[in-house]
């Protein structure tokens, strides 16, 4: 009786979850995402892959466009079970099938898409998959969690990536950009185990693959000098506990600079780093200074000394004159702030190297400390700051950001564990939250992001900072044969309930 009663209760819970989306409003606050805390049984998850400049360039053989999705609902079975062996109280109804997931540029003409290239087709496919996965909700519908893959390889002789949004000229290969030769910017192979019921009470699915196009995928995870990634998700049916997303990333000699993130992107518009319409989990775009991010992170392997593991990575876009981005890659600027928690990462910002520091550090009370104030500026709190390549009035000394790794210019502010960030809930000492120190974090990202320095032209009105992309994960920077492994669960973004009307 106990087993059948448990299945009956789980069935009732699943029906309730299908009928409503939990907003978890509390104390004048509400969730900004469609799946608060990752507890919804009917999962929505997608995967995307990019080259160095956040484009596709060329699809991998027999893989279609590098966008796939796993979106399903739990439904009661079609008929009464005939024995205890087939008495599961659920079946999974998948909203995206293999045909959808394998669509590529070769299908474009039959789909009525004319004069479209592989880059724009990938953006179209993301919107298409979002339509298949979309969940009705208030104040607006949402689509899916996004798993992001990226390779830092770049063929400088091919000049595929624009330079600060403008057409680039070929230049000799150098140590900044790994490339084994022609074809080094290829898309990865993407394989998919659709979510299915495991035993009686659990669900499990995964995406996995490799950038090494000739690798044996069944052996790639443990094979010597072979790149590999996987993201597996698992949850017990009918329980209020979170899905657990298990990430694994391995670099190789040919692919030493790889990235893997789990993102909550805006449900429409330009997410951080892209100039195409994207889809995502965030139905209310959070804005500074009033939002928090909650999640549980368990890092099992760090990825080596050059793994820039981001406890939190936030991305937005606005022009240097304070206007919102509109897709013009020469004047739009991607803005990123990232906290790196790898204890091997040192502060490049130093009193004798001010060009790697932001011009100001701002205290929570609004007091600004100039980077030349060696007594009070917290140099150890900053790994690196770089200015957008199209900024006209930068305070000297300065460093421009990499001109090639986004379609448009970018500005990056990377911070490190330090007491300066303690009042926002961030780690204050090296090693906090690192390997063997699993923690549930509640970060006051809104207040911190309001105080961080970002460039604007003099005399322009400050941009109201909205953050359409919030993610965590790692960027293993030019390091061969390194392994990172971690899990994420309980993810949520909390905003004041007043933001629902104007987001």
């Amino acid at each position: 009786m106990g087993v059948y009663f448990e299945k009956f209760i789980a069935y009732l819970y699943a029906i309730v979850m299908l009928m409503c989306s939990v907003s978890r409003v509390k104390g004048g606050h509400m969730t900004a995402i469609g799946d608060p805390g990752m507890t919804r049984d009917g999962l929505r998850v997608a995967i995307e892959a990019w080259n160095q400049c956040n484009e596709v360039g060329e699809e991998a053989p027999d893989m279609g466009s590098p966008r796939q999705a796993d979106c399903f609902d739990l439904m009661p079975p079609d008929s009464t079970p005939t024995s205890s062996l087939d008495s599961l109280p659920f079946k999974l109804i998948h909203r995206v099938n293999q045909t959808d997931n394998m669509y590529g540029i070769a299908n474009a003409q039959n789909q009525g898409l004319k004069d479209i290239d592989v880059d724009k087709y990938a953006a179209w496919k993301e919107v298409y998959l979002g339509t298949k996965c979309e969940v009705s909700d208030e104040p607006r519908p949402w689509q899916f969690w996004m798993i992001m893959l990226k390779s830092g390889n770049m063929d400088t002789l091919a000049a595929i990536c624009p330079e600060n949004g403008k057409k680039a000229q070929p230049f000799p290969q150098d140590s900044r950009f790994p490339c084994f030769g022609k074809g080094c910017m290829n898309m990865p192979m993407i394989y998919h185990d659709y979510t299915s019921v495991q035993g009686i009470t659990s669900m499990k699915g995964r995406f996995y693959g490799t950038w090494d196009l000739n690798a044996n995928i069944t052996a790639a995870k443990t094979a010597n000098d072979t790149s590999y990634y996987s993201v597996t998700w698992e949850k017990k049916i009918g329980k209020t506990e979170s899905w657990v997303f298990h990430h694994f990333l391995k670099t190789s000699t040919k692919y030493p600079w790889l990235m893997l993130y789990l993102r909550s992107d805006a449900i429409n518009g330009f997410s951080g780093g892209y100039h195409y319409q994207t889809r995502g989990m965030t139905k209310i775009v959070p804005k500074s200074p009033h939002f928090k991010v909650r999640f549980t992170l368990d890092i099992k392997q760090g990825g080596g000394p050059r793994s820039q593991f981001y406890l939190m990575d936030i991305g937005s876009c606005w022009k240097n004159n304070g206007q919102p981005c509109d897709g013009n890659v020469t004047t739009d600027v991607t803005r990123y702030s990232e906290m790196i928690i790898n204890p091997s990462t040192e502060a490049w910002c130093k009193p004798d190297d001010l060009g790697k520091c932001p011009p100001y550090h701002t205290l929570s009370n609004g007091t600004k400390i100039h980077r030349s104030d060696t007594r009070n500026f917290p140099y150890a709190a900053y790994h690196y700051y770089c200015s957008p390549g199209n900024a006209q009035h930068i305070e000297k000394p300065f460093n421009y950001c990499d001109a090639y790794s986004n379609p448009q210019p970018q500005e990056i502010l990377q911070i490190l564990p330090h007491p300066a960030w303690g009042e926002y809930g961030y780690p204050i000492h090296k090693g906090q939250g690192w390997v063997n120190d699993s923690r549930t974090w509640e970060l006051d990202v809104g207040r911190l992001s309001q105080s961080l320095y970002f460039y604007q032209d003099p005399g322009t009105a400050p941009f109201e900072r909205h953050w359409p992309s919030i993610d965590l994960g790692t960027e293993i920077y030019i390091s061969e044969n390194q392994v990172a492994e971690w899990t994420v669960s309980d993810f949520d973004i909390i905003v004041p309930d007043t933001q629902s009307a104007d987001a």
Side-chain angles (χ1 to χ4, degrees), residues 261-496:
Y261 310 123
L262 183 65
R263 299 167 57 112
S264 182
D265 290 330
I267 58 172
N268 55 36
F270 305 134
S271 295
Y274 311 138
H275 59 138
Y276 303 117
Q277 281 284 318
T278 58
R279 295 293 182 265
M281 178 59 62
T282 304
K283 59 186 181 180
I284 303 170
V285 176
K287 60 183 179 181
S288 305
H290 303 299
F291 70 95
K292 295 183 178 181
V293 182
R294 183 186 302 135
F295 57 90
T296 300
L297 175 64
D298 182 5
I299 302 175
K300 302 177 183 301
Q301 300 184 75
R306 303 182 80 183
S307 171
Q308 294 190 331
F309 203 105
Y310 302 136
L311 174 72
M312 181 62 19
D313 179 6
I314 57 176
S316 188
C317 189
W318 63 85
K319 297 178 187 291
N320 291 329
N321 63 7
Q323 295 300 306
C325 290
D326 57 11
N328 183 333
V329 294
T330 62
T331 57
D332 288 354
V333 180
T334 305
R335 321 280 173 163
Y336 295 113
S337 175
E338 304 151 341
M339 169 164 274
I340 302 172
I341 60 170
N342 187 339
S344 298
T345 304
E346 299 293 336
W348 292 356
C349 166
K350 299 178 183 296
D352 58 356
D353 197 355
L354 295 181
K356 295 185 176 68
C357 307
Y360 292 94
H361 173 81
T362 304
L363 301 178
S364 59
N365 64 7
T367 300
K368 292 187 176 182
I369 304 171
H370 193 265
R371 60 187 175 181
S372 61
D373 183 351
T374 57
R375 181 187 294 266
N376 296 304
F377 191 92
Y379 301 99
Y382 292 94
H383 171 56
Y384 180 62
Y385 167 75
C386 59
S387 302
N390 61 350
Q392 300 296 311
H393 306 281
I394 312 172
E395 179 182 308
K396 296 180 180 179
F398 63 85
N399 281 279
Y400 282 129
C401 293
D402 166 26
Y404 303 96
S405 64
N406 269 220
Q408 59 267 358
Q410 60 179 332
E411 181 179 24
I412 302 174
L413 181 62
Q414 295 179 323
I415 62 177
L416 299 172
H418 188 276
W421 317 124
E423 64 180 289
Y424 307 106
Y426 283 72
I428 61 174
H429 300 299
K430 286 188 174 185
Q432 289 180 331
W434 193 234
V435 177
N436 298 322
D437 188 24
S438 174
R439 297 191 182 202
T440 296
W441 299 92
E442 184 167 310
L443 306 178
D444 197 344
V445 183
R447 277 205 310 133
L448 175 61
S449 60
Q450 183 70 15
S451 70
L452 296 175
Y453 174 84
F454 287 101
Y455 173 85
Q456 272 193 223
D457 292 334
T460 58
F463 180 78
E464 185 177 62
R465 297 178 179 182
H466 296 251
W467 301 98
S469 181
I470 295 180
D471 61 85
L472 63 162
T474 195
E475 173 177 357
I476 302 179
Y477 179 69
I478 313 185
S479 303
E480 301 174 2
N481 298 300
Q482 296 289 345
V483 173
E485 183 179 8
W486 67 98
T487 65
V488 176
S489 56
D490 308 305
F491 192 100
D492 204 354
I493 303 172
I494 309 300
V495 299

Side-chain angles (χ1 to χ4, degrees), residues 42-101:
L43 186 64
R44 301 292 194 271
V45 61
I47 190 169
E48 61 182 358
W50 300 97
N51 64 19
Q52 163 73 309
C53 44
N54 289 355
E55 301 284 13
V56 173
E58 183 177 351
E59 296 172 357
D62 303 318
M63 286 287 110
S65 184
R67 303 289 185 276
Q68 293 193 27
D70 191 324
C71 303
F72 62 87
D73 294 313
L74 267 68
M75 301 294 287
D78 292 329
S79 57
T80 303
T82 57
S83 72
S84 61
L85 295 178
D86 56 5
S87 60
L88 293 177
F90 316 103
K91 65 176 181 178
L92 305 188
I93 305 298
H94 282 274
R95 304 303 181 188
V96 178
N97 60 35
Q98 184 71 352
T99 299
D100 299 321
N101 276 329

Side-chain angles (χ1 to χ4, degrees), residues 175-193:
S175 59
R176 292 179 299 161
F177 304 109
C179 182
F180 54 79
K182 184 178 180 181
C184 72
M185 297 178 70
N186 62 280
M187 290 291 101
M189 311 296 279
I190 299 177
Y191 299 94
H192 184 188
D193 292 340

Side-chain angles (χ1 to χ4, degrees), residues 107-151:
N107 303 103
Q109 186 171 354
N110 290 337
Q111 292 165 331
L113 303 172
K114 298 180 179 179
D115 301 321
I116 191 170
D117 60 21
V118 291
D119 301 324
K120 293 179 180 177
Y121 185 85
W124 174 89
K125 186 178 178 183
E126 182 171 332
V127 173
Y128 168 78
L129 294 174
T131 301
K132 302 274 288 188
C133 296
E134 191 163 275
V135 177
S136 297
D137 203 351
E138 295 295 335
R140 49 192 63 83
W142 50 273
Q143 295 92 25
F144 36 55
W145 299 104
M146 180 60 80
I147 298 163
M148 176 186 166
L149 300 168
K150 182 172 178 176
S151 167

